[in-house]
Amino acid sequence: MTTDRDPSETALDVHGLAGMLRISTDKAYQLGNDPLFPSFRVGNRHRFWPSEVRAYTQQPRDPWKQSARSLGRKRNR
């Protein structure tokens, strides 16, 4: 997901994301590991562009969509 970012916009770390979304830092780390959530890594640290996070949180959700976690699971038949 790419959006037109303001060149002066600075990337948030996990603590900045937690404050922006009013969530715990543990949940922010989980979001950083989620392949669908807009984040990138600098070394071993997660970073987030605030404009991409806002765009991601404002997009409509499909309640019947299969989660990314369950897409990776192997089915036993």
Side-chain angles (χ1 to χ4, degrees), residues 4-74:
D4 295 327
R5 277 191 304 277
D6 181 15
S8 64
E9 181 180 42
T10 58
L12 298 172
D13 62 353
V14 173
H15 297 284
L17 179 71
M20 177 183 167
L21 297 179
R22 296 187 203 128
I23 58 175
S24 68
T25 54
D26 291 336
K27 183 63 179 177
Y29 279 112
Q30 290 175 3
L31 289 174
N33 289 325
D34 184 353
L36 298 178
F37 196 78
S39 65
F40 62 98
R41 298 195 67 149
V42 177
N44 64 351
R45 304 197 186 261
H46 295 285
R47 296 288 185 254
F48 310 89
W49 293 113
S51 58
E52 291 186 9
V53 171
R54 272 188 231 99
Y56 179 82
T57 57
Q58 292 173 357
Q59 69 186 8
R61 297 277 180 243
D62 181 6
W64 296 101
K65 183 177 178 185
Q66 189 174 3
S67 70
R69 183 176 175 191
S70 68
L71 286 173
R73 290 189 186 144
K74 190 164 118 180

